[in-house]
Amino acid sequence: MNKMTKKERVIAAINKQEVDRVPFSIWYHIPQVDQDPVQLAEVQIEQAHCYDLDFIKMMPFGNYGAHDYGLSCTFFCTETQPVLERKFAIDDVKEWTEIEPLPGYFGSHGKQLMLTRQLQKQLKGEEIPYVQTIFSPLTTAKKLAGPRVFEDMRSHPEYLHQALAAITETTINFVKLNIEAGVAGFFFATQCANKEWVTEAEYDEFGVKYDLQVINAYKDITYFNIAHIHGDNTMFEKVASYPCNCINWHDRWVSPSMSEARKISDKCFLGGINEKWLSKAKPEEVRSHIKEAVLAAGRTGLMVTPGCVAELTTPQVNFYAARTAVEGL
């Protein structure tokens, strides 16, 4: 089989077609530079070249959506300490009614839009897909208020619906500007499709309703659209049915496994690497770890990636070992 370009390889995997080798990517927080979109783009491109990644999963700091609504963060700007929530923005349930739609270029959203534009500029036509990270509206609300969001959701659902509608509109505004800046698609992350937080019925009302509005804004425009299902005890089947063509979850330590998921969904799977295990593994163990995933999922319709962000303590040699492991698989 002739060697494919990175874009060809990714598209073939999405379409469950044969590939010259299984596509590979890795991602982790880059807190030492993630407040400077120019430098963050530089570093992400350097990583893509260093590890020969097939696509770039953009790495804005995880609280950027909530930051624009008043979440106070502590930025350490070191290689080992990601941003932390310093003070939640919601002190009183009525404050949810103060949440209003924002332009997609406002504040921290604007920084992440600049990251997209910088990738487009700095890649200089190099054909490597890059996907922007966005969060479900309920996830943004949880980042904004902490666990009290679920108490407020039950005591004053009308307030939460008003806030979620505004956050959804902001996210869609951001999505549209990223499409203009050339993204291949979006990494849509939900941290609330989790039975520890909400019931299935509650997530239908406060999660799915708004998730689909966001996804419908790009699903027919961009070609590489990933749903990330975060945490354990998740509503996997519910999110797997979203109109995205790829699914990413903690497949090596959370149910379902790759082989079990194949009975649930025919979408392209991103995963196979236990991101926690990788930080402590011996390099010589990595190939067999990845081979297990490929055997479980099948070679087509698969991209080898972590189930979530890789640990910041992961030795670089393990990233190289992971990239090398996909050769011949």
Side-chain angles (χ1 to χ4, degrees):
M1 188 174 191
N2 292 334
K3 184 177 180 179
M4 292 176 151
T5 66
K6 297 177 186 299
K7 183 177 180 180
E8 289 171 343
R9 193 174 292 122
V10 164
I11 291 175
I14 291 169
N15 293 329
K16 300 189 74 176
Q17 298 169 343
E18 289 296 325
V19 289
D20 60 342
R21 65 161 174 79
V22 179
F24 169 79
S25 192
I26 201 91
W27 54 84
Y28 47 89
H29 290 298
I30 317 172
Q32 70 273 27
V33 297
D34 66 10
Q35 295 309 297
D36 178 355
V38 177
Q39 193 172 5
L40 181 55
E42 291 172 0
V43 171
Q44 290 221 251
I45 292 171
E46 287 171 5
Q47 290 175 346
H49 292 161
C50 180
Y51 301 120
D52 193 25
L53 306 183
D54 287 301
F55 68 90
I56 296 171
K57 189 270 194 191
M58 296 163 64
M59 289 304 302
F61 74 99
N63 293 312
Y64 77 88
H67 194 233
D68 283 341
Y69 282 111
L71 174 69
S72 179
C73 299
T74 299
F75 298 99
F76 298 94
C77 299
T78 68
E79 293 185 6
T80 57
Q81 182 63 69
V83 61
L84 290 179
E85 300 92 347
R86 191 189 72 86
K87 184 179 181 182
F88 291 121
I90 302 296
D91 295 319
D92 184 274
V93 67
K94 291 183 180 179
E95 291 178 332
W96 290 111
T97 64
E98 300 171 8
I99 302 294
E100 296 181 351
L102 299 172
Y105 52 78
F106 181 88
S108 289
H109 282 87
K111 278 190 173 183
Q112 312 326 315
L113 177 61
M114 186 181 292
L115 169 61
T116 310
R117 291 171 174 168
Q118 281 294 315
L119 282 173
Q120 185 180 51
K121 176 181 178 180
Q122 294 181 33
L123 283 169
K124 299 177 181 178
E126 180 181 347
E127 199 173 60
I128 178 169
Y130 48 97
V131 294
Q132 178 63 278
T133 301
I134 57 176
F135 296 94
S136 73
L138 187 57
T139 298
T140 298
K142 180 177 177 290
K143 290 173 179 282
L144 187 61
R148 73 161 294 158
V149 66
F150 303 114
E151 300 170 16
D152 294 346
M153 178 187 78
R154 294 175 183 120
S155 65
H156 291 79
E158 70 281 11
Y159 293 173
L160 255 294
H161 278 301
Q162 182 177 334
L164 289 169
I167 293 168
T168 298
E169 187 174 339
T170 299
T171 307
I172 291 172
N173 291 340
F174 180 66
V175 159
K176 290 177 178 178
L177 292 173
N178 275 271
I179 292 172
E180 292 176 7
V183 294
F186 295 88
F187 185 95
F188 179 92
T190 174
Q191 298 178 1
C192 296
N194 191 307
K195 295 171 187 175
E196 294 181 11
W197 296 116
V198 293
T199 66
E200 295 261 0
E202 287 173 332
Y203 198 75
D204 285 340
E205 180 179 353
F206 295 93
V208 174
K209 175 181 178 180
Y210 300 101
D211 293 354
L212 292 180
Q213 289 180 42
V214 173
I215 294 170
N216 286 337
Y218 61 80
K219 68 180 177 64
D220 296 323
I221 303 172
T222 51
Y223 66 85
F224 188 8
N225 301 318
I226 306 152
H228 171 68
I229 311 169
H230 188 83
D232 52 14
N233 201 17
T234 66
M235 302 174 192
F236 181 88
E237 292 189 37
K238 190 183 296 291
V239 181
S241 70
Y242 283 3
C244 298
N245 46 31
C246 302
I247 310 171
N248 173 244
W249 76 104
H250 312 277
D251 65 281
R252 297 307 294 261
W253 55 275
V254 168
S255 180
S257 65
M258 283 276 190
S259 58
E260 292 168 340
R262 281 291 184 219
K263 301 172 185 176
I264 299 170
S265 174
D266 63 353
K267 294 178 180 177
C268 179
F269 294 165
L270 275 66
I273 299 175
N274 184 327
E275 63 278 4
K276 295 182 178 181
W277 172 88
L278 189 66
S279 67
K280 301 177 177 64
K282 297 177 181 178
E284 59 269 24
E285 298 173 327
V286 174
R287 181 175 178 82
S288 60
H289 178 77
I290 290 175
K291 187 175 181 180
E292 288 173 359
V294 175
L295 290 173
R299 191 172 179 274
T300 57
L302 175 68
M303 303 187 206
V304 171
T305 73
C308 194
V309 289
E311 301 281 340
L312 290 177
T313 55
T314 305
Q316 277 191 315
V317 66
N318 285 2
F319 294 144
Y320 286 116
R323 168 60 185 87
T324 304
V326 299
E327 291 296 334
L329 294 180

